[in-house]
Structure formats: structure tokens, C-alpha cells
Amino acid sequence: MANNKYKVLLVDDHALVRSAMGQLINSAPDLEVIAEADNVPEAQALTRDLNPDLSLVDISMPGLSGLEYVRRCKKSAQSPKIIVISMHKSLDYVEQAMNAGADGFLTKDVAVEELRQAIDAVLADKTYLSEELETGVKNKHDAGPLATLTNRQTEVLRLLAQSKTTKQIADDLHISAKTVETHRAELMRRLDIHDVPGLVRFAIANGLVSITDD
């Protein structure tokens, strides 16, 4: 920790956000913003060259997302601690970030005090989610695997279980056949089921359809 301060990298494509975040960080006696980036390739280069202790990263950026930055950093030998800070409150985003290797996740409307709590936690080798997000993730998992699906994935699963073809599902949901195939592949990945008959059995077991459905 150079000069008794933790080195912080800000990764966000909005200059105003970086400026406000930088002022907050630099006002702390033990933190210092050493660089800023507005895209993932630049952030990667700065991470490699400057070896920050902590990166604060947005998800939504032009080109590669902040999640890709997390994944790539965590594969390297010297990865910084990473807190994802996003406007998105979807639990899907939270889980994707934490599964990618993020050390914490905050929404952009958090109080300054909570940002500091999160920073202290991850620098102490802990993970951090706000109480609201942590409760939401726990409740989602307690509700079972069906609760991990998005509404659209559930719709696709129900129609698959009704023996609808890819084209019929696409027509029913007003989406492309390729999108249906993408949803089907994601269903198999999330549910760890590797064929359509298995998806049908899962749908029936979880009450999405019954064996008497047309």
C-alpha cells in the first residue's frame, strides 16, 4: 500500500460519475484514485500497469461489459479487489457479478457510508452485498431453481413443455427463432439439464404445465 493509501481504479463510461466517485474516494485518508477508465480494454491495461488494490466498476459500458472486466481480472495472478457499482438492481446482475468473481455489488443510489462499508469489507478479504440485495439473493435461492429464471425464460420453458416447436414459440412470443434457441440453451445451463425431455420433466414437476395440457 504505497504512501499508506490503497490505490483505487474507477471504471465507468460516465465522466460525471467518475468525478463524483473520485471526490468521495480521495476525501478518505487511506484511499487514492490512481486512474480512471471509460471502457474495459483501457481498464485492463491500467490494471496491468498500475496494479490497483481496488477497482470500482460499472456493468453497462460501450463494448465489453464490466462483468467481462471482472472475469478477466480474476483469471490473472494479481487481481485487484472489485466492487461492481451499477444502476441495475436485478438479482440476475448481482449473481452474474458475484459468480464472475466480484468481491462486492452496490447500486448507484447507496449512501456514502455504505460505499465506505463495502470498501472496508472487500479490502479485508470479505464479500459485500447490501442487506436488501443479500436478502433478495437468499430468498431467490430458497424459492428453488424455478425462481432463478427470468419471466421470458419461464415462458419459453412452459411452451417447450407444451411440445411447441421453435418457430411456434417464436411466433407466440413475437421473438426470433434464434432468440428462442438462446433462451433454451440458457435454460439448460441454469437448470443443469441437457436435453429438451429433461426440461419438459422439470416444467411438469414444478407445475408450469400438467400432463393433461394440450
Side-chain angles (χ1 to χ4, degrees):
M1 186 167 59
N3 301 319
N4 296 319
K5 290 189 177 186
Y6 290 101
K7 300 180 293 182
V8 180
L9 171 65
L10 303 181
V11 187
D12 195 298
D13 62 323
H14 293 96
L16 278 175
V17 173
R18 296 197 309 273
S19 177
M21 195 81 68
Q23 290 179 36
L24 290 172
I25 297 301
N26 287 327
S27 67
D30 59 336
L31 303 172
E32 179 183 11
V33 175
I34 57 167
E36 301 177 7
D38 63 5
N39 61 77
V40 169
E42 181 184 10
Q44 282 187 274
L46 290 169
T47 300
R48 181 184 61 249
D49 295 342
L50 301 178
N51 193 26
D53 300 295
L54 171 68
S55 292
L56 302 179
V57 185
D58 188 18
I59 288 181
S60 301
M61 289 185 287
L64 297 173
S65 78
L67 294 179
E68 186 60 28
Y69 170 81
V70 178
R71 293 187 189 99
R72 294 183 180 189
C73 279
K74 292 303 178 177
K75 290 179 180 177
S76 64
Q78 292 181 307
S79 172
K81 299 294 184 180
I82 301 175
I83 299 176
V84 172
I85 303 180
S86 175
M87 63 180 290
H88 299 291
K89 295 187 177 182
S90 165
L91 295 181
D92 282 342
Y93 280 111
V94 178
E95 291 188 314
Q96 286 178 48
M98 302 309 283
N99 289 338
D103 301 285
F105 191 107
L106 295 172
T107 53
K108 287 186 175 180
D109 58 357
V110 297
V112 174
E113 293 79 9
E114 184 164 11
L115 173 61
R116 181 70 234 205
Q117 289 173 15
I119 290 173
D120 288 342
V122 302
L123 289 176
D125 295 324
K126 301 175 184 178
T127 58
Y128 188 92
L129 292 177
S130 68
E131 183 176 352
E132 177 185 2
L133 294 177
E134 188 170 15
T135 299
V137 170
K138 182 179 184 301
N139 289 342
K140 183 176 178 181
H141 284 285
D142 288 347
L146 193 60
T148 68
L149 305 180
T150 66
N151 290 336
R152 181 46 58 90
Q153 287 165 354
T154 302
E155 290 176 328
V156 171
L157 177 59
R158 178 175 56 80
L159 293 171
L160 278 171
Q162 291 175 352
S163 300
K164 296 287 184 82
T165 66
T166 296
K167 183 179 185 306
Q168 288 172 325
I169 295 172
D171 290 343
D172 286 354
L173 299 181
H174 307 292
I175 57 180
S176 70
K178 184 176 181 180
T179 300
V180 174
E181 293 170 355
T182 299
H183 284 308
R184 186 173 60 213
E186 181 63 12
L187 282 166
M188 291 181 180
R189 186 190 70 79
R190 287 195 180 204
L191 299 174
D192 195 24
I193 295 172
H194 307 294
D195 54 32
V196 172
L199 291 177
V200 173
R201 290 191 294 271
F202 174 87
I204 294 172
N206 285 273
L208 283 182
V209 294
S210 72
I211 57 174
T212 60
D213 280 351
D214 292 332

